[in-house]
Each structure stands twice: as structure tokens, then as C-alpha cells.
Amino acid sequence: MFLILLGAPIVFMGWTYAWVSKADIVEGQVVGVEEKTTQRRQKGYSPQVVYEIDGERLEFTSRLTIDTPEFKVGERVKVIVSLDRKHVATVIDLAERYIMPILMVACLLLIQGLSIIYQHQERIVSLLHPQLL
């Protein structure tokens, strides 16, 4: 079970890295912010972005929805565009794409490490000082 929990964020990071490294990164500009309401009546905000690639001007609304309208009209953002031009994603910061999987891996490794220490505490104590047992 632990390997599945650990493997999922690592696979996601690998997939994201592979996708980003094969894509074009261009500069875009926020032209609007779309307000969305979820079924739970919570508001979310998604930037509407215009970018230019290969001489063509394109616009999209990001699937990224955040609780507060952090994007300002006119703000410059990075846009990742896949080579086949079918997949687009706004990038605030590449670190933000990786922060959740990295935190998940770190937490899972910490939990596993503490579990191992707890299970083998007598051996560890005896290694540190044999007379403590």
C-alpha cells in the first residue's frame, strides 16, 4: 500500500516533467477572470489568457481555479502549449506544479521512517547503547 501511495505522486511528477519538457512555453496575458460557482456554492476564479504561437493569436480559460482572484487583467503569465497544440495550461510558477507531489512524497517517507523506527526501536536503542536494554 505504501508503494502505491508513494508511487502516485512520483508518477505524476514524472508525467508533468515529461509533458513540460516537450511543450512550448510562451508568454501570455490575462484578459479576464471568469468567476465559477461549484455545486457547494463556493466561488472560484479562472484566468482567461491570450497568447501567441506560430503567429497565431489564441485564447483560453484556464482549468486552474483558485479561491481568490489573484490574477489581474493585463498580468503576464507563462503558458505551456503541447506540441500538438491541443493541451494548454497556465503556469504561475513551475514549482507550484510540483509542490503537492513533493510534499506528499516527503510526508509519506517521514511516516514510513517513523513507522520503521517504532517497529525496530529496541534494535535501534541497542545499536546506540547496548546497556540501555
Side-chain angles (χ1 to χ4, degrees), residues 122-133:
E122 288 182 11
R123 287 185 187 168
I124 293 170
V125 170
S126 71
L127 289 173
L128 296 174
H129 199 287
Q131 293 178 348
L132 292 177
L133 287 177

Side-chain angles (χ1 to χ4, degrees), residues 17-95:
Y17 178 80
W19 186 77
V20 170
S21 61
K22 292 178 185 175
D24 290 326
I25 299 178
V26 297
E27 191 169 287
Q29 185 173 11
V30 177
V31 294
V33 178
E34 184 178 299
E35 185 177 305
K36 298 178 181 179
T37 305
T38 65
Q39 292 175 349
R40 297 180 196 161
R41 299 181 190 230
Q42 295 174 328
K43 288 187 180 179
Y45 302 90
S46 298
Q48 296 170 325
V49 179
V50 169
Y51 66 99
E52 190 172 311
I53 192 161
D54 298 333
E56 186 178 1
R57 186 177 165 95
L58 302 166
E59 183 175 336
F60 75 100
T61 301
S62 177
R63 289 187 293 176
L64 171 70
T65 302
I66 52 177
D67 298 337
T68 56
E70 293 181 14
F71 298 98
K72 309 252 184 298
V73 174
E75 179 181 352
R76 294 276 186 201
V77 292
K78 291 183 180 177
V79 178
I80 298 176
V81 184
S82 65
L83 293 177
D84 62 4
R85 306 292 187 246
K86 292 182 182 177
H87 299 84
V88 180
T90 324
V91 177
I92 301 168
D93 184 1
L94 285 177

Side-chain angles (χ1 to χ4, degrees), residues 98-111:
Y98 294 105
I99 196 72
M100 271 314 280
I102 289 171
L103 287 176
M104 288 173 64
V105 167
C107 288
L108 288 168
L109 288 175
L110 178 66
I111 290 168

